[in-house]
Amino acid sequence: MTGSIYNVIESELKNLSLQTALLEACDWDEALLEEFSSHLSMGLQFITKECETLEEGKVLLKEILEINGWTNGQYNIVIQLIEMHAEEIQSFMMMEEQ
Protein backbone atom coordinates (compact mmCIF):
# COMPACT_ATOMS: atom_id res chain seq x y z
CA MET A 1 0.00 0.00 0.00
CA THR A 2 1.73 3.15 -1.22
CA GLY A 3 -0.80 5.75 -0.06
CA SER A 4 -2.40 6.38 3.28
CA ILE A 5 -4.15 9.09 5.22
CA TYR A 6 -0.86 9.68 7.00
CA ASN A 7 0.86 10.39 3.68
CA VAL A 8 -1.80 12.98 2.87
CA ILE A 9 -1.33 14.87 6.15
CA GLU A 10 2.40 14.29 6.50
CA SER A 11 3.34 17.51 4.69
CA GLU A 12 0.99 19.49 6.93
CA LEU A 13 2.64 17.95 9.99
CA LYS A 14 5.98 19.05 8.62
CA ASN A 15 4.62 22.53 8.06
CA LEU A 16 3.45 22.67 11.68
CA SER A 17 6.92 21.57 12.76
CA LEU A 18 8.51 24.32 10.65
CA GLN A 19 6.03 26.89 11.95
CA THR A 20 6.97 25.96 15.51
CA ALA A 21 10.66 26.19 14.62
CA LEU A 22 10.09 29.63 13.12
CA LEU A 23 8.31 30.82 16.26
CA GLU A 24 11.17 29.44 18.34
CA ALA A 25 13.69 31.26 16.08
CA CYS A 26 11.76 34.45 16.92
CA ASP A 27 12.23 33.76 20.65
CA TRP A 28 8.58 32.68 21.01
CA ASP A 29 7.54 36.29 20.39
CA GLU A 30 4.43 36.32 18.19
CA ALA A 31 4.81 40.06 17.46
CA LEU A 32 8.36 39.40 16.27
CA LEU A 33 7.10 36.51 14.15
CA GLU A 34 4.49 38.84 12.65
CA GLU A 35 7.23 41.37 11.82
CA PHE A 36 9.33 38.60 10.26
CA SER A 37 6.34 37.44 8.21
CA SER A 38 5.91 40.97 6.90
CA HIS A 39 9.57 41.20 5.85
CA LEU A 40 9.36 37.73 4.35
CA SER A 41 6.27 38.64 2.34
CA MET A 42 7.94 41.75 0.93
CA GLY A 43 11.13 39.82 0.20
CA LEU A 44 9.25 37.07 -1.63
CA GLN A 45 7.36 39.63 -3.71
CA PHE A 46 10.65 41.32 -4.61
CA ILE A 47 12.45 38.13 -5.64
CA THR A 48 9.43 37.02 -7.65
CA LYS A 49 9.75 40.15 -9.76
CA GLU A 50 13.53 40.48 -9.84
CA CYS A 51 14.92 36.95 -10.06
CA GLU A 52 14.88 34.59 -13.00
CA THR A 53 15.56 31.39 -11.08
CA LEU A 54 14.61 30.01 -7.71
CA GLU A 55 18.29 29.60 -6.78
CA GLU A 56 18.95 33.27 -7.54
CA GLY A 57 15.87 34.15 -5.51
CA LYS A 58 17.07 32.18 -2.48
CA VAL A 59 20.39 34.04 -2.46
CA LEU A 60 18.68 37.42 -2.74
CA LEU A 61 16.12 36.48 -0.08
CA LYS A 62 18.94 35.61 2.34
CA GLU A 63 20.49 39.03 1.72
CA ILE A 64 17.14 40.80 2.23
CA LEU A 65 16.48 38.99 5.51
CA GLU A 66 20.00 39.60 6.82
CA ILE A 67 19.82 43.32 5.96
CA ASN A 68 16.62 43.46 8.01
CA GLY A 69 18.33 41.79 10.98
CA TRP A 70 16.93 38.27 10.63
CA THR A 71 19.90 36.07 11.44
CA ASN A 72 18.54 33.65 14.04
CA GLY A 73 17.98 30.72 11.68
CA GLN A 74 14.76 32.06 10.17
CA TYR A 75 16.21 31.90 6.64
CA ASN A 76 17.00 28.18 6.92
CA ILE A 77 13.45 27.45 8.03
CA VAL A 78 12.02 29.48 5.16
CA ILE A 79 14.28 27.61 2.72
CA GLN A 80 12.81 24.32 3.96
CA LEU A 81 9.32 25.66 3.24
CA ILE A 82 10.43 26.93 -0.17
CA GLU A 83 11.93 23.55 -1.02
CA MET A 84 8.65 21.86 -0.08
CA HIS A 85 6.83 24.07 -2.60
CA ALA A 86 9.62 24.62 -5.15
CA GLU A 87 7.59 23.63 -8.21
CA GLU A 88 4.72 25.96 -7.34
CA ILE A 89 7.12 28.84 -6.61
CA GLN A 90 9.03 28.32 -9.87
CA SER A 91 5.76 28.35 -11.81
CA PHE A 92 4.72 31.57 -10.11
CA MET A 93 8.10 33.16 -10.90
CA MET A 94 7.76 32.18 -14.54
CA MET A 95 4.29 33.74 -14.69
CA GLU A 96 5.70 37.04 -13.37
CA GLU A 97 8.24 37.13 -16.20
CA GLN A 98 5.53 37.12 -18.86
Side-chain angles (χ1 to χ4, degrees):
M1 182 171 148
T2 57
S4 72
I5 293 173
Y6 180 77
N7 290 344
V8 173
I9 64 166
E10 182 178 25
S11 66
E12 293 306 314
L13 291 173
K14 288 179 184 173
N15 285 348
L16 181 59
S17 169
L18 292 173
Q19 290 170 4
T20 302
L22 195 52
L23 185 57
E24 183 178 9
C26 291
D27 297 323
W28 301 101
D29 183 337
E30 292 200 22
L32 197 60
L33 179 59
E34 193 69 32
E35 183 181 339
F36 173 75
S37 296
S38 177
H39 284 139
L40 178 61
S41 176
M42 290 186 286
L44 291 173
Q45 288 174 11
F46 184 76
I47 68 168
T48 300
K49 294 176 183 166
E50 300 298 322
C51 299
E52 293 182 20
T53 67
L54 184 57
E55 293 306 311
E56 186 181 305
K58 290 193 292 191
V59 171
L60 184 56
L61 182 62
K62 182 172 185 157
E63 291 173 10
I64 291 168
L65 293 177
E66 286 177 351
I67 286 169
N68 285 288
W70 301 106
T71 58
N72 196 21
Q74 292 94 345
Y75 172 77
N76 293 333
I77 297 164
V78 169
I79 289 304
Q80 289 179 36
L81 287 166
I82 287 173
E83 293 296 331
M84 290 169 65
H85 299 283
E87 282 184 30
E88 297 161 72
I89 292 168
Q90 286 174 324
S91 296
F92 191 75
M93 290 176 76
M94 292 177 80
M95 286 175 27
E96 283 289 323
E97 288 177 13
Q98 296 175 356

